[in-house]
Amino acid sequence: MKLNTSRETLLKPLQTVAGVVERRQTLPILSNVLIAVSGGHLNMTATDLEVELIARTPVEGATDGETTVSARKLMDICRALPEGAAVEISESKGKLAVKSGRSRFSLSTLPVGDFPLVPKIEGATQFSAAAAQFRNTLARTQFAMAQQDVRYYLNGLLFEITSNQLRTVATDGHRLSLCDCPIEGKIAKPVQAIVPRKGILELQRLLGDGDERVAVTLSDNHIRIELGEAVFTSKLIDGKFPDYERVIPQGNMKRLVGDRETLRQALHRTSILSNEKYRGIRLKLGNGTITAIANNPELEEAEETVEVDFTGEAMEIGFNVNYVLDVLAVLTSQEVEMMFIDSNSSCLIQPRGEKDSRHVVMPMRL
Amino acid sequence: MSVELGAPYPWHGPMWGRLQSGWRSGRLPHALIFHGMPGVGKRAFAEAFAASVLCRNSDDKGRPCGICGECQLMAAGTHPDITRVEILEDKKEIGIDQIRELREVVTLRSHRAGFKVVIVDPADAMNVNSSNALLKTLEEPSGDTLLILLTARFGALLPTVRSRCQAVAFPTPAAADAEAWLRGVLDRPDDAPALLALADGAPLKAQYLAGQDALPMAAGLIRELEALATGKSDPLAVAERWAKSDIPTTLSWVGGVLYDLARLKFGGVPSLINIVSRTSPLHDFASRTDPGPLFEMIDRVREAQRDALTSLNQQMILEGMLLHWNERFTNMNKRAKS
């Protein structure tokens, strides 16, 4: 392998993949990056066995070949070179030589065959989606994922794929969020897959603001997402997601419509004096108003009333205010709808005028 | 890390066959405990079994093909679907964080679309917390997972762990089998019986001892014992020297010699005594002493072995034991003279 290029051409893909390079280093080769040159492309691959990232860059006049070398050291070298410097890398006899100007580096390599790549993804479901919508779908649900729950199937985001839509669902047992995203592709039969928490967080970091499309491939064991110059692959959680439809309240509900930002700010202010551990807040629904009341063990109290569109029977309900604030923060609509049954039933929150996302928050007895 | 890929050791034959047929017919439980004394090849067996389970083309005897991608990764020690939980450097136990990490790995789908194998070695290094953290995984791992726990102290595992696994006992191989194998791997095959005796019959331990110059060391210990027995040596000076050695090994060897003396006395077949010469004063001592004092001396070795695991001053433990022995030896010598 031989490659003449600039510092930036090397550095950008390295920085993209460096995030998943194993820090704990259970296996020495996981601290390495796999560098492969073929067909005029430079591919850099890093893995921590849960998430694999490949960054692609076109290169010119390169000789094909592949090797693995310490990601950290190669990145530090590239960073330390002057901006715009020309770099030559070449591999021979188990060493990777990096030359730039009068600098010479010789890095030790490990065999490519030892690098635990994800094998070819077979028998797969494939579809594509607009990057912006895809990112939005993740953002609107990922906050509700459980963290280190013994119900391990909750420590991730459910991808449910039907003929023309992707639905993501996350729940930690106290609240649930789901969001739909239109997709294109041939889906033979509906598929469910749970992507682990770590993968989702990494994926969010990768998804840019661009309006390109992302291509998603799903097999029994992995999900692979191609976003422009990066290819993201994550293992899936080996479990079955609970039947979330049953959790979403339905039927005859009291409907409240309010300005999202006004509600969010009011709740946020009130929450300052709620119990720091339980974060409980009481909502009093009256004719055309909602009153948020919080108090804490120090006997301090906060109360704020917001004008809303509500004409049902008056009621009172308690929530963990963080759950409600999380939802109000990720929505983008001007107004939100909150649907209640009674003070012992879950509340459904959804953006007004949009049908693609729904959020359920369980009440709290205060 | 190099991994033993070949067929397991000859004395593993029946066990290998049984587990392989269980595996092939899908009757193998998802959690196994391999237990047996150190040096009988439990780990090598577990690694070989894992290689066999992960290889895509292993033959009907369970031998991995050695050429597929899985075998290559196994050989490089980088197979992503095998997780080894061991005592970390500078640690004495397998901590709960390691088990929590393991739990996360096991709940994910496999990397190479095959099985996931977990080897916990030694399982008795898990403390109560980590053992409890493993219970849920042991009971109901996600699909396609094989958990193998290794231990030399089966009884030290929590009953709740034991009851969730199928136990597979690794007996010490028959002396003849062990010796035949050991002769094949030693530079000086004739050392085999003595080394096996020092290793309590465990062939791999015997092989390890051969590389550690164990025989000269054992001979040195016996000379020290002889000097003590004839009153030519100062027990305190001996304790000082032994305190610098690997104390558990030293104790197990000198203990072994005393056991042998007792066996000899009752007409049993000694093992270690083979490396003690016939003309040794120890034989003399054994033939003349009463069983009582001899067994008291053995008890002191046991006590010292137990105390050596605590934070007590190691040299003082040895001093206590050796002063006691010295008294016995002196009494005997006095009686001989009178």
Side-chain angles (χ1 to χ4, degrees):
Chain A
M1 184 179 74
K2 193 168 178 180
L3 178 64
N4 276 302
T5 181
S6 69
R7 165 184 178 266
E8 281 66 29
T9 316
L10 280 178
L11 195 52
K12 192 163 167 279
L14 267 177
Q15 281 170 332
T16 308
V17 301
V20 301
V21 171
E22 185 69 63
R23 274 159 290 261
R24 286 173 291 123
Q25 290 189 17
T26 40
L27 300 175
I29 201 161
L30 296 187
S31 61
N32 278 17
V33 58
L34 172 69
I35 305 174
V37 178
S38 74
H41 272 85
L42 167 67
N43 287 340
M44 297 222 190
T45 310
T47 179
D48 66 358
L49 296 186
E50 187 173 329
V51 172
E52 177 188 282
L53 262 185
I54 308 174
R56 286 193 283 227
T57 326
V59 286
E60 281 172 13
T63 331
D64 290 2
E66 48 185 8
T67 186
T68 82
V69 68
S70 160
R72 172 99 259 133
K73 289 174 190 158
L74 185 61
M75 190 161 82
D76 285 350
I77 290 171
C78 289
R79 269 216 197 107
L81 290 173
E83 243 172 76
V87 186
E88 182 197 302
I89 62 172
S90 57
E91 191 240 344
S92 70
K93 291 181 198 137
K95 293 278 180 191
L96 184 79
V98 181
K99 296 179 193 166
S100 174
R102 293 184 153 187
S103 311
R104 298 277 182 282
F105 305 90
S106 175
L107 294 166
S108 58
T109 65
L110 286 171
V112 174
D114 298 356
F115 197 85
L117 282 173
V118 174
K120 196 164 175 293
I121 293 183
E122 286 166 23
T125 305
Q126 288 185 323
F127 62 89
S128 74
Q133 274 175 320
F134 186 63
R135 189 182 57 244
N136 185 35
T137 307
L138 294 187
R140 284 197 182 183
T141 44
Q142 60 90 8
F143 61 88
M145 288 187 292
Q147 203 166 355
Q148 296 195 329
D149 200 301
V150 284
R151 294 163 293 179
Y152 57 88
Y153 42 82
L154 298 185
N155 301 328
L157 189 62
L158 173 73
F159 279 45
E160 190 180 60
I161 298 131
T162 45
S163 60
N164 55 4
Q165 84 169 14
L166 159 72
R167 168 172 288 178
T168 60
V169 188
T171 178
D172 61 4
H174 303 288
R175 39 127 169 223
L176 177 145
S177 286
L178 71 84
C179 188
D180 297 332
C181 168
I183 55 169
E184 279 171 25
K186 277 190 186 154
I187 311 295
K189 59 178 192 341
V191 188
Q192 281 199 344
I194 313 171
V195 185
R197 185 184 173 84
K198 188 173 172 192
I200 293 296
L201 299 181
E202 188 64 32
L203 189 56
Q204 278 211 303
R205 198 177 66 82
L206 283 173
L207 282 161
D209 294 322
D211 53 1
E212 72 276 6
R213 293 187 74 78
V214 294
V216 182
T217 315
L218 201 64
S219 73
D220 284 347
N221 294 299
H222 292 94
I223 183 166
R224 171 161 287 175
I225 300 174
E226 294 175 45
L227 347 93
E229 290 178 338
V231 181
F232 164 94
T233 311
S234 170
K235 279 188 191 172
L236 297 176
I237 289 179
D238 200 346
K240 182 152 173 29
F241 205 78
D243 178 13
Y244 63 87
E245 292 278 6
R246 287 197 327 199
V247 178
I248 301 170
Q250 267 152 358
N252 198 7
M253 289 188 278
K254 299 172 186 166
R255 179 164 170 271
L256 175 154
V257 179
D259 183 71
R260 183 181 61 86
E261 189 56 25
T262 315
L263 271 174
R264 194 187 70 79
Q265 286 181 5
L267 287 180
H268 178 69
R269 278 190 292 270
T270 316
S271 74
I272 296 168
L273 294 186
S274 70
N275 185 316
E276 281 172 27
K277 192 165 168 214
Y278 301 108
R279 305 295 287 160
I281 192 167
R282 250 176 308 162
L283 298 182
K284 271 189 179 161
L285 280 65
N287 216 346
T289 59
I290 182 169
T291 306
I293 303 162
N295 41 38
N296 62 15
E298 289 90 58
L299 300 177
E300 294 162 321
E301 196 171 278
E303 182 174 331
E304 178 158 349
T305 303
V306 178
E307 283 189 17
V308 290
D309 183 358
F310 180 75
T311 51
E313 197 182 316
M315 66 174 280
E316 200 178 308
I317 188 167
F319 288 112
N320 178 328
V321 67
N322 285 5
Y323 294 165
V324 182
L325 283 172
D326 279 346
V327 174
L328 294 178
V330 293
L331 297 182
T332 48
S333 66
Q334 176 71 35
E335 290 183 311
V336 289
E337 288 178 349
M338 296 174 80
M339 320 282 270
F340 302 92
I341 296 173
D342 56 40
S343 52
N344 292 323
S345 307
S346 303
C347 157
L348 174 68
I349 307 176
Q350 54 194 27
R352 191 180 180 209
E354 295 170 30
K355 283 274 167 270
D356 59 353
S357 86
R358 281 178 282 167
H359 307 268
V360 180
V361 180
M362 265 170 58
M364 225 174 144
R365 207 163 302 203
L366 288 172
Chain B
M1 191 190 332
S2 77
V3 172
E4 188 71 49
L5 269 185
Y9 295 102
W11 60 89
H12 285 150
M15 226 163 345
W16 181 261
R18 207 168 67 233
L19 287 182
Q20 278 292 341
S21 76
W23 161 252
R24 261 147 229 285
S25 56
R27 278 186 290 104
L28 202 65
H30 56 257
L32 299 168
I33 297 179
F34 292 176
H35 63 97
M37 57 182 298
V40 294
K42 299 186 294 291
R43 179 62 182 264
F45 188 97
E47 294 281 354
F49 199 75
S52 157
V53 164
L54 292 172
C55 171
R56 285 167 194 279
N57 324 308
S58 47
D59 65 13
D60 55 345
K61 295 270 193 309
R63 275 189 298 252
C65 70
I67 43 174
C68 68
E70 317 303 319
C71 288
Q72 269 180 31
L73 287 168
M74 270 308 275
T78 56
H79 199 291
D81 289 326
I82 175 160
T83 314
R84 300 175 180 87
V85 183
E86 292 160 337
I87 304 174
L88 297 177
E89 252 173 76
D90 318 326
K91 292 275 167 65
K92 287 191 160 170
E93 306 179 313
I94 292 176
I96 189 163
D97 291 336
Q98 287 171 272
I99 300 296
R100 288 198 177 126
E101 247 170 61
L102 170 71
R103 222 159 50 178
E104 252 173 64
V105 172
V106 173
T107 58
L108 294 176
R109 291 284 194 149
S110 80
H111 199 88
R112 312 270 307 176
F115 249 71
K116 292 171 281 187
V117 183
V118 176
I119 297 178
V120 183
D121 180 24
D124 50 82
M126 291 190 292
N127 58 29
V128 179
N129 297 330
S130 20
S131 301
N132 282 328
L134 187 63
L135 292 180
K136 188 84 186 151
T137 309
L138 275 180
E139 191 165 75
E140 254 187 295
S142 55
D144 294 351
T145 305
L146 177 65
L147 294 132
I148 305 177
L149 275 56
L150 308 183
T151 182
R153 301 190 301 142
F154 187 56
L157 298 180
L158 287 189
T160 41
V161 169
R162 276 182 277 158
S163 67
R164 280 166 170 79
C165 307
Q166 186 172 82
V168 182
F170 277 63
T172 312
D177 293 349
E179 195 183 318
W181 174 82
L182 192 59
R183 279 179 178 277
V185 296
L186 288 183
D187 292 336
R188 286 200 305 272
D190 289 342
D191 288 350
L195 284 167
L196 271 177
L198 283 180
D200 299 324
L204 297 180
K205 191 172 172 194
Q207 187 190 13
Y208 167 79
L209 289 176
Q212 301 292 307
D213 282 331
L215 284 181
M217 270 163 63
L221 278 178
I222 286 163
R223 273 196 303 280
E224 300 240 42
L225 271 183
E226 288 167 355
L228 273 174
T230 48
K232 284 179 194 146
S233 178
D234 172 13
L236 294 181
V238 175
E240 199 182 333
R241 279 197 295 280
W242 286 6
K244 288 178 194 129
S245 68
D246 174 18
I247 294 173
T249 310
T250 304
L251 285 176
S252 100
W253 288 351
V254 294
V257 172
L258 292 180
Y259 273 118
D260 270 356
L261 292 178
R263 281 195 194 117
L264 212 59
K265 198 159 181 57
F266 295 104
V269 181
S271 58
L272 267 182
I273 209 77
N274 293 334
I275 56 173
V276 181
S277 79
R278 289 281 156 200
T279 56
S280 166
L282 289 173
H283 284 274
D284 194 32
F285 169 71
S287 58
R288 280 183 294 112
T289 185
D290 292 329
L294 190 55
F295 283 119
E296 275 173 37
M297 289 167 73
I298 291 175
D299 285 345
R300 289 304 289 248
V301 181
R302 289 232 188 97
E303 254 171 59
Q305 279 175 325
R306 205 171 52 231
D307 291 346
L309 296 176
T310 66
S311 55
L312 293 176
N313 183 319
Q314 307 280 313
Q315 189 172 335
M316 284 175 72
I317 296 170
L318 293 172
E319 279 173 6
M321 180 185 81
L322 285 163
L323 284 171
H324 175 266
W325 287 8
N326 197 45
E327 199 182 313
R328 300 285 164 233
F329 284 135
T330 324
N331 286 346
M332 184 51 63
N333 290 339
K334 268 189 204 150
R335 252 176 48 193
K337 271 177 201 149
S338 60

